[in-house]
Amino acid sequence: MSAVLAEYGDRVRECADFDTFLGSLEGAACGLVAAQSLGTRECDRLAAWVRAQPSWSDFPFIVLNGASGPPTGVEALGNVALLERPLRGEVLRRAIEAALRARLRQYQARAQLARQGEIEEALHVLNDTLESRISARTHDLARANDRLMKEVRARERTQSALVQSQKMESIGQLTGGLAHDFNNLLNIIMGSIELIDRATDDERIRRLAGNARQAVSRGARLTSQLLAFARSQTMDLRVTDVNGLLSGMRDLLGLSLGPTVTIVTHLDPSIPKAIADANQLELAVLNLGINARDAMPAGGTVTLATSLRRGDADLPEGDYVVIAVTDTGRGIAPAALSKVFDPFFTTKPVGKGTGLGLSQVYGIARQSGGTARIESELGKGTVVELWLSVAPRDEQADPAVEAAAAASEAVEEASGGAVGDILVIDDDPIVRNLIVECLQTLGYQVRQAADGESGLRLLEERPPDLLMVDFIMPGMNGAEVIERVRAERPELPIILATGYVDAQVSDELLQRELILQKPFDIDDLAAMVRQALRRA
């Protein structure tokens, strides 16, 4: 590990035993320690060292778990990131970078506190001097001292929020860095299940494959929500069946809110479809459900309801689909009600909330062309409403038409529609081989490459009918491969397959190219390939 980190220019101190490690923490930016080196006694000694640190310090530890899991008492260390072995150097590096950024911000906070302390001291000296020399200015000095005390209190609140924000950023960085690998694993499982399902007539095997498929779908949903937590994602606004989305969330909400919360739904079957990003909308409803659970420590009821209403007040005229999430909790004080959508505002104790949940819900609603509203009364619960724009009439798809289109596509494929030469570029050999296997099962001729440069060489040797490329790859990533191809072959249909669509992918690329989100099943793959080939 020292050698890996040294390649990135880090200065690393190696410690052969715990006592040396503990003695070397002063002056270090973070500590990297194996779980097997930490017993209860060692964790207690580290916790005592942490408690002796200045108030601005939240020293980051990275603990490498073994087969036995995290050591007992490690949670007492505070700022701890747990990494599972076996570990890739890239993942280790991301964790180290997140820890170093967090420590740098602490040093900056320390410098700011020192500067403010010097300012306070200078102001106190000036106050004493002025009081002794100019008694007529007492009133002005008192006002200045009043402002100073307010600044001190504001500084304390800022310091507390800063420490909490650093912890959340560290978690977010690790989540985003691991999401790509996790989605690749889910994609391998999903594709293998699909191939097994297609290759057998055994009903028991098909039933077991169906169970596994549902588990993978749940894992994919959780990964998407973790990615949304880790960073701001590009909104993918589409025509969305709100009732269907909420119905599909019942299991997830049940697991997230726990057995003490009863979930009730009142979904209006006559409401039209709305314009929304389905993943972000799920995240917003989940956030509201968790807030409701926290407001009902002894348990209660969360009600999900949908309705159709006319826009008023700050909304353009027109119809809106309204999702109402109601709880039977303790409610919100009137003085705080006007601030609940402000970033970093929270009514929860320090360490129990980031103050970003409701502001994120409000942002999702506004980006979807609607808004978010809240009503609450102490002791009588809270209701939060998400207002979403109704999809245009010509986009309210008829289920019969959709079924006919799907049947038409199936007939097209069965009648020899799966014809074409496809080039697949992906650095993960298992994922690449699985995609190739799926495409060949669908009847396509497939070539493959392990990186961008070799893929471009194959493309020059014989241009394919379709290029399918992964986004995150060493050397040349998928976006760079696409830019090279577009310069020479602007009409070639391209599919960008990725489990990590975020700000690294330009808006222009998202609008221009077809994006296949990992994990995907063989039907998603087949539909996307047909759509891409039709573009040609």
Side-chain angles (χ1 to χ4, degrees):
M1 291 184 184
S2 296
V4 169
L5 295 176
E7 291 179 0
Y8 291 96
D10 291 327
R11 289 181 296 167
V12 182
R13 277 181 279 172
E14 300 181 15
C15 302
D17 54 63
F18 177 80
D19 288 335
T20 306
F21 176 74
L22 182 61
S24 301
L25 290 178
E26 291 297 337
C30 71
L32 176 65
V33 59
Q36 60 265 33
S37 298
L38 296 179
T40 302
R41 180 172 174 273
E42 285 77 13
C43 286
D44 289 343
R45 292 176 65 188
L46 279 179
W49 182 86
V50 169
R51 289 193 296 270
Q53 293 291 294
S55 60
W56 57 265
S57 176
D58 188 26
F59 190 84
F61 292 93
I62 299 174
V63 178
L64 305 181
N65 276 345
S68 59
T72 302
V74 72
E75 64 276 0
L77 305 185
N79 189 0
V80 177
L82 300 174
L83 298 182
E84 300 293 336
R85 288 174 167 171
L87 186 65
R88 289 169 45 188
E90 180 183 342
V91 173
L92 175 62
R93 182 58 195 163
R94 288 199 194 102
I96 291 292
E97 286 178 345
L100 294 180
R101 279 196 300 273
R103 194 59 173 169
L104 177 59
R105 288 194 176 92
Q106 294 172 29
Y107 290 151
Q108 293 169 345
R110 177 185 63 183
Q112 181 66 23
L113 290 174
R115 287 194 295 270
Q116 291 189 356
E118 294 171 358
I119 293 172
E120 290 177 30
E121 183 62 26
L123 286 175
H124 279 301
V125 171
L126 179 61
N127 184 47
D128 293 341
T129 304
L130 289 176
E131 285 182 344
S132 64
R133 295 176 57 189
I134 312 173
S135 59
R137 304 273 311 268
T138 301
H139 180 63
D140 292 338
L141 287 173
R143 291 177 57 190
N145 188 61
D146 218 26
R147 290 195 301 270
L148 174 61
M149 296 309 297
K150 288 181 180 178
E151 290 177 4
V152 170
R153 289 192 291 271
R155 181 198 67 194
E156 291 172 350
R157 290 194 298 269
T158 302
Q159 178 183 350
S160 177
L162 175 63
V163 171
Q164 182 69 9
S165 176
Q166 289 168 345
K167 292 180 180 178
M168 300 307 291
E169 181 183 356
S170 297
I171 297 171
Q173 290 288 340
L174 288 174
T175 301
L178 295 172
H180 175 252
D181 291 338
F182 187 54
N183 270 333
N184 271 345
L185 293 175
L186 287 175
N187 207 87
I188 294 167
I189 298 170
M190 175 67 84
S192 299
I193 291 169
E194 290 285 330
L195 292 176
I196 291 171
D197 192 23
R198 288 173 178 246
T200 182
D201 294 326
D202 189 317
E203 287 302 321
R204 179 174 179 273
I205 292 177
R206 286 191 168 183
R207 186 173 63 256
L208 294 174
N211 294 338
R213 189 182 298 110
Q214 292 179 10
V216 172
S217 297
R218 181 175 294 177
R221 187 182 302 116
L222 291 175
T223 305
S224 176
Q225 291 164 348
L226 288 173
L227 281 172
F229 159 77
R231 63 193 183 280
S232 178
Q233 287 186 314
T234 303
M235 293 288 284
D236 183 19
L237 298 177
R238 297 175 181 268
V239 177
T240 302
D241 180 359
V242 173
N243 282 347
L245 182 142
L246 294 178
S247 298
M249 288 188 67
R250 282 190 63 93
D251 290 344
L252 177 63
L253 286 170
L255 290 171
S256 301
L257 305 190
T260 63
V261 177
T262 301
I263 301 171
V264 177
T265 56
H266 297 298
L267 307 180
D268 183 351
S270 66
I271 64 168
K273 294 181 180 179
I275 296 295
D277 182 321
N279 289 332
Q280 296 289 347
L281 185 57
E282 277 192 352
L283 175 66
V285 173
L286 183 63
N287 274 337
L288 295 178
I290 291 173
N291 281 350
R293 178 202 63 192
D294 293 343
M296 304 182 296
T301 301
V302 172
T303 302
L304 302 179
T306 57
S307 59
L308 182 65
R309 300 193 213 167
R310 295 290 294 177
D312 57 7
D314 59 336
L315 289 172
E317 184 178 353
D319 290 333
Y320 290 83
V321 173
V322 179
I323 303 172
V325 181
T326 306
D327 66 61
T328 57
R330 53 194 171 214
I332 302 173
L337 204 55
S338 62
K339 303 176 183 178
V340 293
F341 290 128
D342 294 346
F344 300 109
F345 179 82
T346 179
T347 58
K348 299 176 183 178
V350 174
K352 297 295 184 181
T354 64
L356 294 174
L358 283 177
S359 64
Q360 188 175 26
V361 169
Y362 181 80
I364 290 171
R366 295 299 290 180
Q367 289 185 68
S368 302
T371 191
R373 295 174 180 172
I374 186 168
E375 294 179 6
S376 185
E377 188 175 346
L378 284 176
K380 296 186 177 180
T382 302
V383 54
V384 180
E385 295 179 344
L386 287 172
W387 291 59
L388 305 173
S389 297
V390 170
R393 185 179 299 274
D394 57 350
E395 296 186 30
Q396 297 284 345
D398 185 340
V401 174
E402 291 180 343
S408 175
E409 287 187 351
V411 169
E412 177 186 340
E413 182 176 348
S415 61
V419 175
D421 178 20
I422 301 176
L423 175 59
V424 176
I425 304 176
D426 196 307
D427 64 302
D428 189 315
I430 303 179
V431 175
R432 186 177 68 250
N433 291 334
L434 179 68
I435 293 174
V436 170
E437 183 75 23
C438 289
L439 290 172
Q440 289 175 341
T441 300
L442 293 170
Y444 296 102
Q445 181 178 352
V446 188
R447 291 177 293 159
Q448 57 179 298
D451 55 68
E453 290 292 349
S454 58
L456 290 174
R457 286 195 296 270
L458 288 177
L459 189 143
E460 289 298 324
E461 292 173 4
R462 187 177 82 242
D465 299 315
L466 170 66
L467 172 64
M468 186 171 179
V469 59
D470 186 31
F471 175 55
I472 294 184
M473 297 187 296
M476 183 186 301
N477 66 33
E480 292 168 335
V481 171
I482 291 174
E483 291 304 316
R484 290 271 297 272
V485 173
R486 283 280 172 248
E488 299 293 333
R489 304 181 187 278
E491 301 303 322
L492 178 67
I494 298 175
I495 296 174
L496 179 64
T498 178
Y500 197 52
V501 174
D502 67 354
Q504 296 184 48
V505 183
S506 67
D507 291 338
E508 179 185 356
L509 192 63
L510 289 172
Q511 293 295 327
R512 189 181 64 196
E513 308 299 347
L514 293 172
I515 307 296
L516 183 58
Q517 185 75 39
K518 295 179 181 178
F520 51 81
D521 60 27
I522 195 167
D523 291 331
D524 294 333
L525 177 63
M528 182 66 74
V529 170
R530 288 196 300 269
Q531 180 183 353
L533 290 175
R534 287 195 193 100
R535 282 191 172 188

